[in-house]
Amino acid sequence: MEVVSPMTTTVPFLDLRAGYEELRGEIDASIARVLASGMYILGEEVAAFEREYADYCGCAHAIGVANGLDALHLALRAMGIGPGDEVIVPSNTYIATWLAVSQCGATPVPVEPDPATHNLDPARIAAAITPRTRALLPVHLYGQPADLDPLLDIARRHGLRVLEDGAQAQGARYKGRRLGGHGDAVAWSFYPGKNLGAFGDAGAITTNDDDLADRLRVLRNYGSRTKYVNEVQGWNSRLDPLQAAVLRAKLPHLDAWNARRGAVAARYAAAFADADLVLPGVPAWADPAWHLFVVRVAERERLQSRLAAAGVGTLIHYPLPPHRQAAYRDLGLPASAFPLANQLADQVLSLPIGPQQDDRATQAVIDAVRACL
Ligand SMILES: *Cc1c(COP(=O)(O)O)cnc(C)c1O
C-alpha cells in the first residue's frame, strides 16, 4: 500500500545558514581580510563599517559596539541619564529596552502601545511624564517604524532626549527617510537573527550629534581616547572587526533582502485578508523592514501547535512582558497595570519570514494557516 505524506514542505521559522550560503564568497573574503590584517580590535575594518553604516542610515556618525543592549545602555549614559531619572519605554518590548535604562540606574516607565501598530502610542505619553522624565525610548518593533514626529514634538516641548531602539528595523523608513537620524540617537543590534545580522554579537549607535558620538567612542573603549589615558570609567564594548567584516559584506544586500521580506509579507497579507486573525497594521507613512510578520489570533496556542504539527515553525514575540518578569518585581508594577501589553503577549504569533524564504515555503505556511482557521 502506498503511504502519502500530507506534508511536503517543512518551513523553519528562520534559516540563518541560508543567508551565509547566498553570500559565502563575499563573507569568506571579508573575514579573510581581517585575519590577514593582524588588526583584531577596532582598526580600519570597524571604522569602514561605521562609515558605511552611517552613510546607509543617512546620518553623520555610527559607533560600533559589542551588542544591541550595550548600544542602548551606552547611548543613555552618553546622554547623561542616571540614578533618579525616568525614561519612557514601551510596555510591550523585548526586555533589553528596559534593561538598558535600569543599567544606568534610571527607572523605565512603561507606556502602552497603539494596538494597531504595536508601537508606542504618542497619545499616551503625556500622562507618563513627570519632573524626573529625561528621555523617550521608542522601539521600532517588528521592523515597523514608530510614529516619530509626535514623539519628537513631545520631546521638544518637555526638553527630553529621544533614543530609538532600532534593533529590529535596519533599513526601515519613516516618511520616506531611513531610520538612523530622526531622534538624538538610534541603537542597533546586529544579533544574527536581525535583518542585518553578524555571526555573533554586534551593535552600533547612529547619531547626528557630534558630542554624543565623541562620548560614545570614549565610553565603549574603557573611557579612553588615547591608549592608557582614561577620562572616565568606561566599558569594554567594542565592535569586533570580524563581525564588522561580516556586516560590511551583508550591508550592500540589505535593501534587496528587506524587499524580499516585504514580498513575503505582501503574500501573507493578501492570503489572510479575510481570515480570522489580525494582520500587522502599516500606516501610510511607514516602509517597514519586515523583521517579523506578527499576527494576532484569539486561540494562539491551538494555531501554534497545529502549525508545528504541519512542519511550520513559529515564535512568540514576546510571551511575557517585562512588567511581569521576575527581573522587574522590584518596580512593583501590578500584573494587570498594562492590559494591552498583556493582551498582545497572549495573542501574538510570528510567522516564518526571511530573505531566503522561497515562494514554495511561503505557500506552505499560507496553506497550513488556512487549514487551521
Ligand atoms: C535584539 C533586540 C535588542 C538587543 O540586542 P542584542 O544585540 O541581543 O543585545 C534590543 N531591543 C530589541 C527590540 C531587540 O529586538
Side-chain angles (χ1 to χ4, degrees):
M1 216 179 84
E2 203 184 345
V3 179
V4 179
S5 158
M7 190 61 218
T8 54
T9 313
T10 60
V11 186
F13 179 72
L14 178 66
D15 181 2
L16 287 175
R17 227 177 45 85
Y20 172 55
E21 290 303 340
E22 189 181 323
L23 300 181
R24 185 192 274 265
E26 286 144 276
I27 290 171
D28 287 0
S30 218
I31 288 175
R33 182 175 64 232
V34 176
L35 297 182
S37 76
M39 193 69 190
Y40 307 129
I41 295 289
L42 293 176
E44 181 48 33
E45 197 69 28
V46 170
F49 171 70
E50 290 175 336
R51 277 194 308 275
E52 289 159 11
Y53 194 63
D55 285 350
Y56 176 83
C57 293
C59 65
H61 307 279
I63 300 94
V65 294
N67 56 63
L69 174 57
D70 283 2
L72 288 162
H73 167 225
L74 295 180
L76 291 169
R77 289 262 177 190
M79 291 173 177
I81 286 161
D85 294 337
E86 293 177 356
V87 177
I88 290 178
V89 295
S91 60
N92 62 319
T93 181
Y94 181 56
I95 197 166
T97 318
W98 289 41
L99 289 174
V101 177
S102 305
Q103 287 184 358
C104 295
T107 304
V109 175
V111 166
E112 292 264 78
D114 174 341
T117 63
H118 302 162
N119 273 326
L120 204 51
D121 185 350
R124 295 170 184 268
I125 286 183
I129 292 176
T130 76
R132 292 175 178 273
T133 309
R134 295 282 316 279
L136 306 180
L137 210 178
V139 179
H140 303 295
L141 196 66
Y142 309 150
Q144 308 278 341
D147 194 1
L148 289 171
D149 280 346
L151 297 175
L152 294 168
D153 192 50
I154 293 167
R156 221 171 357 250
R157 277 188 281 122
H158 293 267
L160 310 175
R161 307 302 296 261
V162 177
L163 171 65
E164 301 158 52
D165 182 339
Q168 303 187 356
Q170 295 92 353
R173 290 170 188 268
Y174 176 69
K175 299 188 177 172
R177 207 175 114 219
R178 230 194 285 277
L179 298 179
H182 291 83
D184 293 296
V186 184
W188 306 93
S189 163
F190 305 119
Y191 178 85
K194 311 294 192 192
N195 288 34
L196 179 61
F199 290 161
D201 281 309
I205 303 103
T206 54
T207 182
N208 283 317
D209 181 329
D210 298 345
D211 275 354
L212 213 53
D214 184 60
R215 245 171 280 154
L216 280 163
R217 288 184 198 286
V218 171
L219 283 181
R220 74 163 173 192
N221 191 25
Y222 283 109
S224 168
R225 199 184 303 271
T226 308
K227 207 170 171 70
Y228 306 131
V229 180
N230 303 86
E231 302 170 19
V232 292
Q233 296 175 11
W235 281 262
N236 177 354
S237 181
R238 301 172 292 221
L239 174 61
D240 187 312
L242 286 168
Q243 302 306 339
V246 172
L247 294 167
R248 287 186 75 196
K250 286 184 163 191
L251 183 58
H253 302 275
L254 179 56
D255 283 346
W257 285 20
N258 280 351
R260 287 195 231 155
R261 289 173 177 272
V264 173
R267 287 193 61 176
Y268 284 157
F272 303 140
D274 55 0
D276 195 14
L277 41 77
V278 181
L279 292 168
V282 182
W285 42 255
D287 290 308
W290 292 110
H291 175 59
L292 297 171
F293 191 93
V294 178
V295 298
R296 276 163 57 201
V297 54
E299 289 189 66
R300 194 254 318 272
E301 266 61 40
R302 183 169 146 272
L303 178 60
Q304 187 175 36
S305 61
R306 290 180 67 176
L307 289 176
V312 172
T314 58
L315 288 175
I316 296 167
H317 299 93
Y318 297 90
L320 195 62
H323 77 274
R324 282 162 55 202
Q325 299 280 358
Y328 276 107
R329 202 179 289 137
D330 287 359
L331 284 185
L333 299 166
S336 62
F338 301 95
L340 281 171
N342 289 338
Q343 187 192 11
L344 291 172
D346 289 343
Q347 296 185 345
V348 290
L349 186 67
S350 304
L351 301 180
I353 191 167
Q356 283 80 29
Q357 181 171 307
D358 62 19
D359 289 350
R360 202 170 128 230
T362 302
Q363 192 57 47
V365 175
I366 290 170
D367 294 343
V369 170
R370 295 202 74 102
C372 298
L373 292 177

mmCIF file of all heavy atoms in Angstrom, residues 66-70 72 93-94 96-97 139-141 165-168 188-191 194 201-203 291 318, ligand 1:
data_model
loop_
_atom_site.group_PDB
_atom_site.id
_atom_site.type_symbol
_atom_site.label_atom_id
_atom_site.label_comp_id
_atom_site.label_asym_id
_atom_site.label_seq_id
_atom_site.Cartn_x
_atom_site.Cartn_y
_atom_site.Cartn_z
ATOM 1 N N ALA A 66 29.534 46.285 21.182
ATOM 2 C CA ALA A 66 29.561 44.825 21.269
ATOM 3 C C ALA A 66 28.208 44.163 21.006
ATOM 4 O O ALA A 66 28.159 43.008 20.569
ATOM 5 C CB ALA A 66 30.086 44.404 22.645
ATOM 6 N N ASN A 67 27.115 44.851 21.272
ATOM 7 C CA ASN A 67 25.785 44.248 21.087
ATOM 8 C C ASN A 67 24.723 45.340 21.192
ATOM 9 O O ASN A 67 25.039 46.496 21.495
ATOM 10 C CB ASN A 67 25.542 43.130 22.129
ATOM 11 C CG ASN A 67 25.715 43.641 23.554
ATOM 12 O OD1 ASN A 67 24.981 44.518 24.003
ATOM 13 N ND2 ASN A 67 26.716 43.128 24.255
ATOM 14 N N GLY A 68 23.487 44.955 20.968
ATOM 15 C CA GLY A 68 22.395 45.927 20.964
ATOM 16 C C GLY A 68 22.075 46.480 22.343
ATOM 17 O O GLY A 68 21.738 47.660 22.482
ATOM 18 N N LEU A 69 22.168 45.629 23.362
ATOM 19 C CA LEU A 69 21.903 46.115 24.719
ATOM 20 C C LEU A 69 22.925 47.183 25.105
ATOM 21 O O LEU A 69 22.561 48.229 25.668
ATOM 22 C CB LEU A 69 21.936 44.940 25.712
ATOM 23 C CG LEU A 69 21.810 45.314 27.201
ATOM 24 C CD1 LEU A 69 20.531 46.095 27.490
ATOM 25 C CD2 LEU A 69 21.861 44.052 28.074
ATOM 26 N N ASP A 70 24.198 46.945 24.794
ATOM 27 C CA ASP A 70 25.227 47.956 25.087
ATOM 28 C C ASP A 70 24.971 49.231 24.286
ATOM 29 O O ASP A 70 25.222 50.341 24.779
ATOM 30 C CB ASP A 70 26.627 47.429 24.749
ATOM 31 C CG ASP A 70 27.158 46.465 25.803
ATOM 32 O OD1 ASP A 70 26.427 46.174 26.765
ATOM 33 O OD2 ASP A 70 28.303 46.001 25.652
ATOM 34 N N LEU A 72 22.129 50.514 23.468
ATOM 35 C CA LEU A 72 21.082 51.248 24.193
ATOM 36 C C LEU A 72 21.640 51.848 25.482
ATOM 37 O O LEU A 72 21.440 53.022 25.786
ATOM 38 C CB LEU A 72 19.926 50.292 24.537
ATOM 39 C CG LEU A 72 19.035 49.830 23.375
ATOM 40 C CD1 LEU A 72 18.260 48.579 23.771
ATOM 41 C CD2 LEU A 72 18.067 50.945 22.973
ATOM 42 N N THR A 93 7.791 45.449 24.842
ATOM 43 C CA THR A 93 9.028 45.330 24.069
ATOM 44 C C THR A 93 9.856 44.169 24.592
ATOM 45 O O THR A 93 9.520 43.562 25.617
ATOM 46 C CB THR A 93 9.858 46.639 24.148
ATOM 47 O OG1 THR A 93 11.054 46.491 23.363
ATOM 48 C CG2 THR A 93 10.242 46.965 25.581
ATOM 49 N N TYR A 94 10.937 43.868 23.864
ATOM 50 C CA TYR A 94 11.913 42.930 24.387
ATOM 51 C C TYR A 94 12.566 43.556 25.609
ATOM 52 O O TYR A 94 12.780 44.773 25.654
ATOM 53 C CB TYR A 94 12.957 42.611 23.307
ATOM 54 C CG TYR A 94 13.984 41.627 23.776
ATOM 55 C CD1 TYR A 94 13.604 40.385 24.278
ATOM 56 C CD2 TYR A 94 15.336 41.937 23.740
ATOM 57 C CE1 TYR A 94 14.545 39.486 24.728
ATOM 58 C CE2 TYR A 94 16.286 41.035 24.187
ATOM 59 C CZ TYR A 94 15.885 39.814 24.679
ATOM 60 O OH TYR A 94 16.822 38.940 25.138
ATOM 61 N N ALA A 96 15.412 43.957 26.728
ATOM 62 C CA ALA A 96 16.654 44.735 26.588
ATOM 63 C C ALA A 96 16.386 46.239 26.672
ATOM 64 O O ALA A 96 17.183 46.988 27.249
ATOM 65 C CB ALA A 96 17.337 44.409 25.261
ATOM 66 N N THR A 97 15.259 46.678 26.106
ATOM 67 C CA THR A 97 14.933 48.112 26.113
ATOM 68 C C THR A 97 14.860 48.625 27.555
ATOM 69 O O THR A 97 15.374 49.696 27.875
ATOM 70 C CB THR A 97 13.580 48.347 25.408
ATOM 71 O OG1 THR A 97 13.501 47.537 24.231
ATOM 72 C CG2 THR A 97 13.401 49.800 25.024
ATOM 73 N N VAL A 139 10.562 52.011 20.434
ATOM 74 C CA VAL A 139 11.122 50.835 19.759
ATOM 75 C C VAL A 139 10.438 50.704 18.408
ATOM 76 O O VAL A 139 9.213 50.839 18.328
ATOM 77 C CB VAL A 139 10.875 49.557 20.593
ATOM 78 C CG1 VAL A 139 11.418 48.326 19.884
ATOM 79 C CG2 VAL A 139 11.492 49.700 21.981
ATOM 80 N N HIS A 140 11.201 50.464 17.357
ATOM 81 C CA HIS A 140 10.609 50.192 16.044
ATOM 82 C C HIS A 140 10.330 48.692 15.986
ATOM 83 O O HIS A 140 11.064 47.921 15.367
ATOM 84 C CB HIS A 140 11.538 50.658 14.930
ATOM 85 C CG HIS A 140 11.895 52.120 15.030
ATOM 86 N ND1 HIS A 140 10.947 53.113 14.880
ATOM 87 C CD2 HIS A 140 13.068 52.750 15.273
ATOM 88 C CE1 HIS A 140 11.530 54.301 15.020
ATOM 89 N NE2 HIS A 140 12.811 54.106 15.264
ATOM 90 N N LEU A 141 9.269 48.305 16.680
ATOM 91 C CA LEU A 141 9.037 46.891 16.966
ATOM 92 C C LEU A 141 8.641 46.114 15.706
ATOM 93 O O LEU A 141 7.832 46.589 14.911
ATOM 94 C CB LEU A 141 7.941 46.764 18.033
ATOM 95 C CG LEU A 141 7.830 45.417 18.725
ATOM 96 C CD1 LEU A 141 9.057 45.110 19.581
ATOM 97 C CD2 LEU A 141 6.567 45.358 19.595
ATOM 98 N N ASP A 165 15.132 52.555 19.699
ATOM 99 C CA ASP A 165 15.622 51.173 19.660
ATOM 100 C C ASP A 165 15.306 50.635 18.262
ATOM 101 O O ASP A 165 14.164 50.280 17.964
ATOM 102 C CB ASP A 165 14.933 50.355 20.754
ATOM 103 C CG ASP A 165 15.420 48.902 20.805
ATOM 104 O OD1 ASP A 165 15.973 48.419 19.786
ATOM 105 O OD2 ASP A 165 15.229 48.249 21.847
ATOM 106 N N GLY A 166 16.364 50.601 17.414
ATOM 107 C CA GLY A 166 16.186 50.166 16.028
ATOM 108 C C GLY A 166 16.621 48.731 15.797
ATOM 109 O O GLY A 166 16.819 48.322 14.646
ATOM 110 N N ALA A 167 16.746 47.952 16.881
ATOM 111 C CA ALA A 167 17.302 46.598 16.788
ATOM 112 C C ALA A 167 16.609 45.745 15.714
ATOM 113 O O ALA A 167 17.230 44.890 15.093
ATOM 114 C CB ALA A 167 17.204 45.899 18.145
ATOM 115 N N GLN A 168 15.300 46.001 15.505
ATOM 116 C CA GLN A 168 14.547 45.148 14.582
ATOM 117 C C GLN A 168 14.260 45.844 13.250
ATOM 118 O O GLN A 168 13.480 45.337 12.454
ATOM 119 C CB GLN A 168 13.225 44.732 15.254
ATOM 120 C CG GLN A 168 13.455 44.024 16.584
ATOM 121 C CD GLN A 168 12.185 43.462 17.198
ATOM 122 O OE1 GLN A 168 11.091 43.658 16.681
ATOM 123 N NE2 GLN A 168 12.329 42.741 18.302
ATOM 124 N N TRP A 188 21.277 50.125 17.570
ATOM 125 C CA TRP A 188 21.063 48.999 16.658
ATOM 126 C C TRP A 188 21.674 47.725 17.228
ATOM 127 O O TRP A 188 22.748 47.776 17.834
ATOM 128 C CB TRP A 188 21.743 49.272 15.305
ATOM 129 C CG TRP A 188 21.350 50.564 14.668
ATOM 130 C CD1 TRP A 188 22.001 51.766 14.788
ATOM 131 C CD2 TRP A 188 20.225 50.796 13.814
ATOM 132 N NE1 TRP A 188 21.346 52.726 14.056
ATOM 133 C CE2 TRP A 188 20.252 52.166 13.447
ATOM 134 C CE3 TRP A 188 19.197 49.982 13.326
ATOM 135 C CZ2 TRP A 188 19.293 52.736 12.612
ATOM 136 C CZ3 TRP A 188 18.245 50.553 12.494
ATOM 137 C CH2 TRP A 188 18.304 51.909 12.143
ATOM 138 N N SER A 189 21.014 46.612 16.992
ATOM 139 C CA SER A 189 21.592 45.302 17.300
ATOM 140 C C SER A 189 21.839 44.584 15.980
ATOM 141 O O SER A 189 21.014 44.655 15.068
ATOM 142 C CB SER A 189 20.614 44.467 18.123
ATOM 143 O OG SER A 189 20.993 43.095 18.094
ATOM 144 N N PHE A 190 22.998 43.917 15.900
ATOM 145 C CA PHE A 190 23.267 43.065 14.732
ATOM 146 C C PHE A 190 23.345 41.605 15.156
ATOM 147 O O PHE A 190 24.120 40.818 14.607
ATOM 148 C CB PHE A 190 24.554 43.514 14.023
ATOM 149 C CG PHE A 190 24.554 44.973 13.635
ATOM 150 C CD1 PHE A 190 25.517 45.836 14.151
ATOM 151 C CD2 PHE A 190 23.593 45.495 12.784
ATOM 152 C CE1 PHE A 190 25.526 47.186 13.803
ATOM 153 C CE2 PHE A 190 23.586 46.844 12.437
ATOM 154 C CZ PHE A 190 24.553 47.693 12.943
ATOM 155 N N TYR A 191 22.583 41.267 16.185
ATOM 156 C CA TYR A 191 22.377 39.864 16.588
ATOM 157 C C TYR A 191 22.073 39.067 15.310
ATOM 158 O O TYR A 191 21.409 39.587 14.405
ATOM 159 C CB TYR A 191 21.202 39.865 17.573
ATOM 160 C CG TYR A 191 20.758 38.550 18.100
ATOM 161 C CD1 TYR A 191 21.389 37.975 19.207
ATOM 162 C CD2 TYR A 191 19.672 37.876 17.538
ATOM 163 C CE1 TYR A 191 20.951 36.757 19.717
ATOM 164 C CE2 TYR A 191 19.233 36.667 18.044
ATOM 165 C CZ TYR A 191 19.887 36.107 19.143
ATOM 166 O OH TYR A 191 19.450 34.911 19.638
ATOM 167 N N LYS A 194 18.743 39.353 13.298
ATOM 168 C CA LYS A 194 18.174 40.643 12.873
ATOM 169 C C LYS A 194 18.295 40.793 11.349
ATOM 170 O O LYS A 194 19.026 40.056 10.701
ATOM 171 C CB LYS A 194 18.901 41.810 13.556
ATOM 172 C CG LYS A 194 19.063 41.673 15.061
ATOM 173 C CD LYS A 194 17.751 41.719 15.830
ATOM 174 C CE LYS A 194 18.066 41.875 17.327
ATOM 175 N NZ LYS A 194 16.912 41.644 18.200
ATOM 176 N N ASP A 201 27.584 38.371 18.421
ATOM 177 C CA ASP A 201 27.005 39.615 18.940
ATOM 178 C C ASP A 201 27.659 40.830 18.295
ATOM 179 O O ASP A 201 28.871 40.846 18.060
ATOM 180 C CB ASP A 201 27.201 39.687 20.456
ATOM 181 C CG ASP A 201 26.183 38.845 21.211
ATOM 182 O OD1 ASP A 201 24.976 39.008 20.935
ATOM 183 O OD2 ASP A 201 26.587 38.027 22.057
ATOM 184 N N ALA A 202 26.866 41.848 18.036
ATOM 185 C CA ALA A 202 27.381 43.107 17.498
ATOM 186 C C ALA A 202 26.278 44.156 17.611
ATOM 187 O O ALA A 202 25.095 43.818 17.664
ATOM 188 C CB ALA A 202 27.802 42.959 16.035
ATOM 189 N N GLY A 203 26.682 45.433 17.646
ATOM 190 C CA GLY A 203 25.702 46.510 17.737
ATOM 191 C C GLY A 203 26.328 47.822 17.314
ATOM 192 O O GLY A 203 27.530 47.897 17.022
ATOM 193 N N HIS A 291 11.024 42.766 9.812
ATOM 194 C CA HIS A 291 11.830 41.832 10.606
ATOM 195 C C HIS A 291 10.986 40.631 11.016
ATOM 196 O O HIS A 291 11.419 39.486 10.916
ATOM 197 C CB HIS A 291 12.382 42.554 11.838
ATOM 198 C CG HIS A 291 13.114 41.657 12.776
ATOM 199 N ND1 HIS A 291 14.224 40.934 12.380
ATOM 200 C CD2 HIS A 291 12.900 41.334 14.076
ATOM 201 C CE1 HIS A 291 14.655 40.217 13.407
ATOM 202 N NE2 HIS A 291 13.878 40.436 14.429
ATOM 203 N N TYR A 318 6.311 38.916 22.469
ATOM 204 C CA TYR A 318 7.023 38.110 23.443
ATOM 205 C C TYR A 318 6.006 37.518 24.400
ATOM 206 O O TYR A 318 4.981 38.154 24.650
ATOM 207 C CB TYR A 318 8.050 38.972 24.177
ATOM 208 C CG TYR A 318 9.085 39.499 23.190
ATOM 209 C CD1 TYR A 318 8.881 40.708 22.547
ATOM 210 C CD2 TYR A 318 10.196 38.735 22.856
ATOM 211 C CE1 TYR A 318 9.813 41.162 21.604
ATOM 212 C CE2 TYR A 318 11.130 39.195 21.931
ATOM 213 C CZ TYR A 318 10.916 40.408 21.292
ATOM 214 O OH TYR A 318 11.809 40.839 20.351
HETATM 215 C C1 LIG B 1 17.543 42.160 19.750
HETATM 216 C C2 LIG B 1 16.993 43.317 20.482
HETATM 217 C C3 LIG B 1 17.747 44.054 21.409
HETATM 218 C C4 LIG B 1 19.067 43.620 21.963
HETATM 219 O O1 LIG B 1 20.028 43.280 21.085
HETATM 220 P P1 LIG B 1 21.269 42.343 21.495
HETATM 221 O O2 LIG B 1 22.216 42.562 20.379
HETATM 222 O O3 LIG B 1 20.753 40.955 21.594
HETATM 223 O O4 LIG B 1 21.802 42.839 22.798
HETATM 224 C C5 LIG B 1 17.203 45.211 21.934
HETATM 225 N N1 LIG B 1 15.967 45.605 21.618
HETATM 226 C C6 LIG B 1 15.195 44.917 20.762
HETATM 227 C C7 LIG B 1 13.832 45.418 20.446
HETATM 228 C C8 LIG B 1 15.675 43.742 20.168
HETATM 229 O O5 LIG B 1 14.892 43.046 19.344
#
